Amino acid sequence: FWTAARGNLQTSSALSLTTLGTAVALFRKMAGPDGNLLSLEPRFLLVPPELEVLARQYYSSLEWRDTTANTKMATANIYYQRFTPIVVPELSNTGYTGYSATSWWLLADPAVLASAVMAFLNGQQSPTIESADADFNTLGIQFRGYHDFGAAMTEYRASAHSTA
């Protein structure tokens, strides 16, 4: 889903102001099937818990300062309140295939273009619960429940993935 050939993957890119800028540039270069630029704006920063503090700092800090000697840099945080952090513990959970404590994603607003979707059979978004009397030799009632839904990755142009 995320490949360099599709233009939505950057590798060796731990979360930083520089790599965040590179991921934004990936968004700017996304083109539709007709070759026209999509002009997508990244809206969310998806991170594992290990990157939560840094993601929240980028979102909420008005300025950044480098305190090392002989360094000149702007102090304004150009990403202030720009990418809403979304923290997903499963991203770094070793129980899941492909887990990573250092990978992160920029996502477009799903109302504009979504990378993943959920679908529900006949639009039924809640589980169906059915009941019936138990067999004659059993006192009681029996229940069963089911939920018909599916999830799929849909549009690779709606996200950019960065691995460290």
Side-chain angles (χ1 to χ4, degrees):
F1 195 79
W2 296 281
T3 67
R6 288 181 166 175
N8 64 354
L9 174 68
Q10 64 173 336
T11 57
S12 303
S13 300
L15 183 58
S16 70
L17 288 174
T18 302
T19 57
L20 196 53
T22 304
V24 170
L26 291 176
F27 258 85
R28 300 277 183 251
K29 296 176 183 177
M30 292 285 182
D34 58 2
N36 292 326
L37 294 177
L38 297 175
S39 299
L40 287 175
E41 281 289 330
R43 176 72 179 96
F44 299 101
L45 178 58
L46 181 70
V47 297
E50 292 79 0
L51 298 177
E52 178 177 5
V53 171
L54 190 55
R56 293 196 186 283
Q57 283 176 333
Y58 288 150
Y59 183 75
S60 63
S61 296
L62 284 170
E63 59 181 50
W64 281 94
R65 293 186 184 270
D66 188 340
T67 58
T68 57
N70 299 322
T71 301
K72 294 181 181 179
M73 68 179 271
T75 58
N77 177 10
I78 63 171
Y79 300 122
Y80 173 69
Q81 293 193 342
R82 183 132 177 238
F83 312 118
T84 304
I86 299 174
V87 181
V88 179
E90 289 81 4
L91 293 175
S92 63
N93 186 323
T94 58
Y96 293 95
T97 304
Y99 72 93
S100 173
T102 57
S103 290
W104 52 279
W105 291 258
L106 275 181
L107 308 170
D109 186 337
V112 176
L113 189 63
S115 284
V117 296
M118 294 285 298
F120 300 92
L121 184 62
N122 298 325
Q124 178 70 31
Q125 293 188 25
S126 57
T128 301
I129 308 295
E130 298 176 337
S131 64
D133 291 332
D135 293 332
F136 181 75
N137 60 348
T138 304
L139 183 61
I141 191 169
Q142 55 189 3
F143 294 94
R144 70 176 178 183
Y146 56 91
H147 196 183
D148 296 316
F149 68 94
M153 300 300 289
T154 56
E155 183 53 68
Y156 67 87
R157 296 173 187 94
S159 61
H161 177 48
S162 298
T163 62

